Amino acid sequence: MLIRLLSAVFLLLLCNGLLPASAVAQQEARRPDGDVFVDKQGVLRWQKTKKEVALFGVNYTTPFAHAYRAHQRVGAAHEQAIRQDVYHLSRLGLDAFRVHVWDVEITDTLGNLQENEHLKLLDFLVAELKQRGIKIILTPIAYWNNGYPEPDTGTGFSSIYSKAQAYTNPRAILAQERYLTQFLNHRNPYTQQLNREDPDIIAYEVCNEPKYSKPEAPVTAFANRMAQAIRATGCRKPVFYNIAESPAVYDAILDANVDGVTFQWYPQGLVSGHALRGNFLPYVDQYPIPFRQDKRFTTKAKMVYEFESADIIQPVMYPFMARSFREAGFQWATQFAYDPMAIAFANTEYQTHYLNLAYTPAKALSLLIASKVFHRVGRGQSFPSYPQDSVFDAFRVSYREQLSEMNTPEEFYYTSSTTTQPKKAAGLRHVAGVGSSPIVKYGGTGAYFLDRLAAGVWRLEVMPDAVPIRDPFEKASLSKPVTQILWNDQPLQITLAELGGNFSLRGLNVGNTMQTQATNGRTTVRPGVYLLAAGGKSTNRYTAQSTFHQTKLGEFAAPAPTKIAPQVLHVPMAQVSAGQPVRITARLTGAEPQDSIFLVAQHYYGRTQVLPMTTTSYATVEATVPAELAYPGLLRYWIVLKKAPQQALTFPGGFPGQPRDWDYHHPEHYAVPIVAAGTPLPLFSAAQDKDQVEARGISSTAWTDYVTTPAGELALRMVVGQPQLGQPKPAATAGPSAALRAYFGHKLAGRAADLASFKEVVVKGRANQPATAVKVVLQTKDAAAYSATVQLGAEVQEVRIPLAAFRSDALLLLPRPYPGFLPLTHQSSSQPALQLTDAEVLQLVLDAAAPANGQLHVDIESVSLR
């Protein structure tokens, strides 16, 4: 009653102008409880409404480490960059933010908080997130130094204590207690609130990915001591603790006095060094937790602090991940990590991740859709297994179409061109997409957003064109752009009944003075923000400063055009069938309407033809080499961009001149073998494919390497060794020892006419133990797996397997997911007979132990179709 009376007096004074506006923040800070609490059933709830919490978003790291330094190197102002990125996070409908604070950059070795630029930028970031309504969970202790991918320069306590020492060394423990106390009591100069009292910082996760081993008692004692250090400041927010990083001591965390537990998910591992291809939806079909029935676990809230579909650019993974999180009972999930726009051109901040609205528009919109999934799907709601669950609630996910989609009477979102009709076009309030749909036909490659402000009045936001020019998951460098941004005039057609066909467009963002009128719904737009109005509608009351859902109508953030020469992204086919026309497609940037593009095709030293290339969609060109030039042999070719009578660039390389010039001396060229119908088709060749496959040891005593055979041929070696001293022998339930995963879908494209003639799979290899069994698996586009087994001996040999011998089997999830307690295999619920035209992934699985005294070696030179 007293609290209610004081609150009433406070409001009366404020309304009568007797208190300063800053007192509002002070009153908020004095509330005895935080915004959320954990009930006895382990459910995180809002304090005021008692409703369940469901928040979804990202990690983002501009204030710290490489991101901080990289902004300096590219000349980007940190605060401006944060402001723009947070706008984009809000634009994607995200409402959660988490970061492991680089304590090493804001402390000394004793744990004293340092008031420096990194802390100031974190404070600024928190203030910006609050303005957008994005809730925050902070992890104050990261245990990382700040170097990756460069040398370390941090000087705080994490620079002298390792993760293993952090919970056992008395001085390290004292430093962490001191730091937590000072960090929680730190007052943000932008919000004037203490960290422990800020209502938008809803909880704290003590530390990031701690590394523990048995015995368990010291682990529990440390967790309790850190949680008590937080609570001793007067903080009453929930305290979370990581349980997934060291699952062997999960009992220690479940026994700890914490309110919630945290998990991560990297479903196909990290850092493959190249883009992963194929259908990975089975990898994210479920998130079963081994101790989920433990009564101690059921009383704690559940949070996913990091997740990512690493090394995958496909826009289909996030919605499945969000649904699996909800099925597992999670109420918070934050992707790691959203790339700052200022440095996303090179993807240097963790090369295995790549996500940014401007640079990866389709993947970013899949995150928007995933956020909708997370908020619509009930906690604990169950679903059938893949592929039966590809359509659920208001969502559809299609690997074959590379499409994620949400379709409700008010919202329509899609990640690539779709023919789906909106559920209720007349009721739409929000549309966002990449590509075209029955509502919007757009010629560019960037994302766009349509939001209804009032009847007949809409806001249109158009991002620049983004064109991939390199594999973004290769070794990264700030001197190597992986995506090119271009600002172009692009055709746009909008079909909304209330706008009509002759709606007006008025530019709203800074520098956008465009004013025009559509004809039959068609117009041309450049990147920017526009006010759209049906004929006769007055829009005088709408200005750039007008607000709509925490956004000013004129807000716009986009990178400048990438200042590089024209680029071509093209990978030749592995083989093409003789006697068939050869279609060659490439990505090309930098072409203007007045330029010409052509293909110079040459049958090695034989005939040469110059063929015009046509633009099939923005930045995509193609030409067809006629069948008369496709006789068995080697087809060499070049792509030429002719910008003027005397100016031409030839690719690969982008060299001045043309291949038929007398002084064109560059040896670079594209090439594809033209083969007769009976020619074997390699699915895997160690010599050719070693940099584009995933070869892993799975058990703790296994690994992979490349060796040469007695004939001098390169072979993939899978090795199973003995446990090292003190290392336990792998458990029988740990799964296979080692495996290879090789995507070959692109290799079938050029041999489509011959696929029906292939009758067997041929494995060429050897083993150092007699009759060593290796499982050969073919995976289809729908992730159904079919397997057969071969036996290899001491001599290099070719072992043939009839395609008819392949039988339905479970798919090994390789690369292995992280954390390691997640499923090892996936059994498709729908497995028709194997159709070679649907196959696209090869797996070789070694499930054998090492001999009593030594190692087991299996060397695979190649696998082919005959």
Side-chain angles (χ1 to χ4, degrees):
M1 179 64 73
L2 178 60
I3 291 177
R4 289 182 182 175
L5 180 61
L6 290 174
S7 297
V9 171
F10 173 85
L11 290 173
L12 181 63
L13 292 172
L14 179 63
C15 292
N16 284 280
L18 300 177
L19 284 179
S22 61
V24 176
Q26 297 171 12
Q27 171 73 1
E28 284 287 307
R30 283 197 294 270
R31 288 186 302 174
D33 295 310
D35 269 352
V36 300
F37 70 99
V38 180
D39 70 15
K40 293 181 180 180
Q41 287 73 46
V43 179
L44 194 64
R45 296 186 181 276
W46 295 109
Q47 189 73 46
K48 292 181 179 179
T49 65
K50 306 301 185 288
K51 291 183 178 179
E52 290 191 14
V53 172
L55 296 167
F56 187 89
V58 296
N59 289 248
Y60 169 79
T61 65
T62 288
F64 302 107
H66 171 77
Y68 173 84
R69 299 188 299 269
H71 278 75
Q72 289 180 314
R73 290 176 190 170
V74 301
H78 292 92
E79 290 189 356
Q80 176 67 6
I82 288 171
R83 190 177 291 113
Q84 292 179 333
D85 288 328
V86 171
Y87 168 63
H88 281 170
L89 299 183
S90 175
R91 200 70 194 84
L92 290 171
L94 307 179
D95 53 14
F97 167 82
R98 180 262 181 188
V99 70
H100 52 62
V101 177
W102 268 264
D103 54 273
V104 76
E105 290 191 317
I106 61 171
T107 66
D108 62 17
T109 56
L110 298 178
N112 292 303
L113 190 66
Q114 305 297 295
E115 298 283 345
N116 59 21
E117 182 69 9
H118 301 291
L119 184 59
K120 178 183 176 183
L121 286 173
L122 176 61
D123 290 335
F124 180 80
L125 172 57
V126 167
E128 288 294 309
L129 292 165
K130 286 167 63 67
Q131 289 184 25
R132 302 288 182 180
I134 298 174
K135 300 301 181 184
I136 301 159
I137 292 182
L138 295 178
T139 304
I141 302 172
Y143 291 136
W144 303 114
N145 212 307
N146 66 345
Y148 182 87
E150 304 157 278
D152 293 331
T153 60
T155 57
F157 63 82
S158 288
S159 70
I160 61 173
Y161 301 115
S162 68
K163 286 188 179 186
Q165 295 171 319
Y167 76 104
T168 58
N169 185 304
R171 291 190 297 274
I173 295 171
L174 285 172
Q176 291 170 89
E177 285 180 318
R178 183 176 294 113
Y179 165 59
L180 287 173
T181 300
Q182 295 182 20
F183 185 82
L184 270 289
N185 282 317
H186 168 69
R187 188 176 297 280
N188 185 321
Y190 298 97
T191 67
Q192 293 302 309
Q193 292 174 321
L194 301 179
N195 281 344
R196 62 181 169 85
E197 294 177 336
D198 190 326
D200 292 306
I201 303 177
I202 65 169
Y204 285 92
E205 181 196 25
V206 173
C207 50
N208 183 71
E209 298 180 353
K211 211 74 169 175
Y212 299 135
S213 58
K214 294 186 176 182
E216 293 167 340
V219 177
T220 303
F222 176 76
N224 285 341
R225 193 163 169 179
M226 294 300 103
Q228 178 55 30
I230 290 175
R231 293 178 179 128
T233 65
C235 178
R236 296 296 176 261
K237 301 175 186 297
V239 176
F240 284 78
Y241 211 93
N242 186 300
I243 197 171
E245 182 71 11
S246 300
V249 295
Y250 76 89
D251 276 316
I253 306 305
L254 293 183
D255 285 337
N257 182 22
V258 295
D259 304 292
V261 286
T262 71
F263 295 78
Q264 76 279 68
W265 199 9
Y266 296 114
Q268 66 287 328
L270 294 165
V271 197
S272 290
H274 58 268
L276 297 178
R277 293 174 291 178
N279 188 345
F280 285 90
L281 289 175
Y283 291 61
V284 292
D285 198 43
Q286 57 175 319
Y287 193 100
I289 300 169
F291 36 87
R292 59 187 178 276
Q293 301 300 328
D294 192 302
K295 290 184 178 179
R296 297 167 297 172
F297 178 74
T298 59
T299 63
K300 298 186 188 298
K302 292 86 179 171
M303 162 189 168
V304 177
Y305 66 96
E306 290 180 11
F307 72 88
E308 171 64 307
S309 55
D311 300 313
I312 292 179
I313 204 68
Q314 303 174 32
V316 296
M317 300 290 282
Y318 291 149
F320 258 42
M321 297 180 82
R323 192 207 60 209
S324 295
F325 288 146
R326 293 300 281 159
E327 188 174 14
F330 292 107
Q331 295 181 260
W332 172 287
T334 37
Q335 180 268 355
F336 188 93
Y338 186 84
D339 284 270
M341 187 173 69
I343 58 174
F345 70 92
N347 193 30
T348 58
E349 194 198 32
Y350 304 103
Q351 71 183 63
T352 196
H353 309 278
Y354 198 29
L355 174 67
N356 179 270
L357 174 57
Y359 287 89
T360 65
K363 191 174 180 181
L365 284 194
S366 77
L367 192 75
L368 180 156
I369 294 169
S371 180
K372 298 293 183 179
V373 171
F374 199 82
H375 289 89
R376 285 180 64 100
V377 169
R379 180 178 54 87
Q381 185 176 347
S382 61
F383 296 88
S385 61
Y386 182 81
Q388 271 70 27
D389 57 354
S390 296
V391 178
F392 60 97
D393 196 85
F395 307 97
R396 182 168 75 94
V397 177
S398 171
Y399 165 73
R400 287 177 180 256
E401 297 177 59
Q402 286 297 288
L403 173 67
S404 293
E405 196 174 72
M406 176 182 176
N407 192 358
T408 74
E410 293 190 345
E411 297 174 287
F412 187 38
Y413 307 124
Y414 44 91
T415 62
S416 57
S417 291
T418 178
T419 58
T420 298
Q421 291 291 334
K423 203 162 255 188
K424 186 180 177 183
L428 285 174
R429 297 296 181 267
H430 306 283
V431 178
V434 174
S436 295
S437 72
I439 294 295
V440 178
K441 289 182 171 52
Y442 181 59
T445 62
Y448 49 83
F449 302 85
L450 267 171
D451 298 287
R452 188 178 188 267
L453 306 181
V457 183
W458 290 68
R459 179 185 187 266
L460 169 68
E461 182 171 359
V462 180
M463 295 296 291
D465 294 314
V467 181
I469 57 175
R470 288 185 182 87
D471 187 332
F473 304 113
E474 296 173 347
K475 189 174 180 63
S477 168
L478 283 172
S479 63
K480 186 182 77 171
V482 299
T483 303
Q484 187 172 1
I485 295 293
L486 301 107
W487 287 52
N488 296 296
D489 294 314
Q490 294 287 11
L492 173 75
Q493 181 179 4
I494 298 176
T495 306
L496 284 169
E498 72 168 39
L499 270 179
N502 300 316
F503 56 86
S504 63
L505 292 88
R506 170 162 61 90
L508 287 176
N509 57 295
V510 174
N512 186 355
T513 59
M514 177 178 172
Q515 292 196 48
T516 189
Q517 182 172 311
T519 302
N520 296 323
R522 293 182 174 89
T523 187
T524 300
V525 293
R526 287 181 64 79
V529 177
Y530 301 87
L531 190 69
L532 278 52
K537 283 282 181 180
S538 173
T539 61
N540 292 336
R541 68 188 183 95
Y542 297 101
T543 70
Q545 298 304 311
S546 301
T547 58
F548 179 73
H549 291 179
Q550 298 172 323
T551 297
K552 291 182 179 179
L553 294 186
E555 282 191 84
F556 183 68
T562 311
K563 294 181 179 179
I564 55 176
Q567 301 288 311
V568 167
L569 178 61
H570 172 70
V571 178
M573 288 179 281
Q575 293 179 350
V576 295
S577 299
Q580 301 290 326
V582 182
R583 189 175 71 172
I584 293 172
T585 302
R587 288 268 197 173
L588 183 147
T589 66
E592 303 293 337
Q594 66 273 18
D595 299 338
S596 57
I597 308 162
F598 50 90
L599 185 83
V600 177
Q602 179 187 70
H603 197 283
Y604 209 76
Y605 292 125
R607 291 182 57 196
T608 300
Q609 287 193 18
V610 178
L611 306 165
M613 300 194 80
T614 58
T615 300
T616 56
S617 61
Y618 177 70
T620 300
V621 295
E622 71 173 39
T624 299
V625 179
E628 63 193 64
L629 203 63
Y631 54 92
L634 186 68
L635 179 68
R636 302 197 303 174
Y637 58 95
W638 299 260
I639 296 171
V640 179
L641 171 62
K642 195 169 185 181
K643 300 195 74 65
Q646 303 302 320
Q647 293 181 341
L649 295 175
T650 294
F651 298 89
F655 300 114
Q658 303 180 51
R660 304 185 76 182
D661 292 345
W662 73 269
D663 59 349
Y664 188 84
H665 57 88
H666 303 285
E668 290 86 353
H669 62 275
Y670 303 111
V672 56
I674 305 171
V675 299
T679 306
L681 173 62
L683 303 183
F684 166 71
S685 165
Q688 300 297 320
D689 300 326
K690 60 184 180 299
D691 295 327
Q692 293 296 321
V693 299
E694 298 79 56
R696 302 283 193 275
I698 297 175
S699 77
S700 58
T701 61
W703 64 94
T704 59
D705 198 357
Y706 284 93
V707 298
T708 50
T709 66
E713 300 295 332
L714 197 67
L716 169 69
R717 171 165 287 183
M718 294 186 280
V719 185
V720 185
Q722 299 292 329
Q724 296 180 0
L725 185 64
Q727 183 183 21
K729 186 177 181 179
T733 58
S737 301
L740 161 76
R741 179 186 182 277
Y743 177 82
F744 62 78
H746 60 302
K747 296 183 178 183
L748 300 187
R751 299 290 303 277
D754 303 331
L755 291 184
S757 66
F758 290 119
K759 302 301 182 186
E760 59 189 13
V761 173
V762 180
V763 179
K764 187 175 183 180
R766 65 175 181 171
N768 70 338
Q769 298 296 314
T772 297
V774 177
K775 183 191 286 188
V776 182
V777 181
L778 297 178
Q779 176 192 334
T780 70
K781 295 174 183 176
D782 297 319
Y786 303 83
S787 72
T789 300
V790 299
Q791 290 189 335
L792 299 177
E795 301 298 325
V796 175
Q797 58 185 311
E798 289 188 343
V799 183
R800 298 166 180 253
I801 315 168
L803 284 171
F806 282 80
R807 296 291 181 265
S808 296
D809 200 351
L811 174 68
L812 175 67
L813 302 183
L814 180 81
R816 290 294 301 123
Y818 192 71
F821 59 68
L822 291 169
L824 184 71
T825 61
H826 172 83
Q827 182 68 59
S828 175
S829 58
S830 174
Q831 288 197 268
L834 172 63
Q835 299 293 324
L836 191 57
T837 52
D838 278 342
E840 63 174 7
V841 171
L842 166 74
Q843 288 187 346
L844 298 180
V845 183
L846 176 62
D847 190 357
N853 296 298
Q855 297 178 344
L856 171 64
H857 296 167
V858 172
D859 299 339
I860 304 295
E861 187 177 315
S862 66
V863 180
S864 59
L865 285 172
R866 290 188 188 174

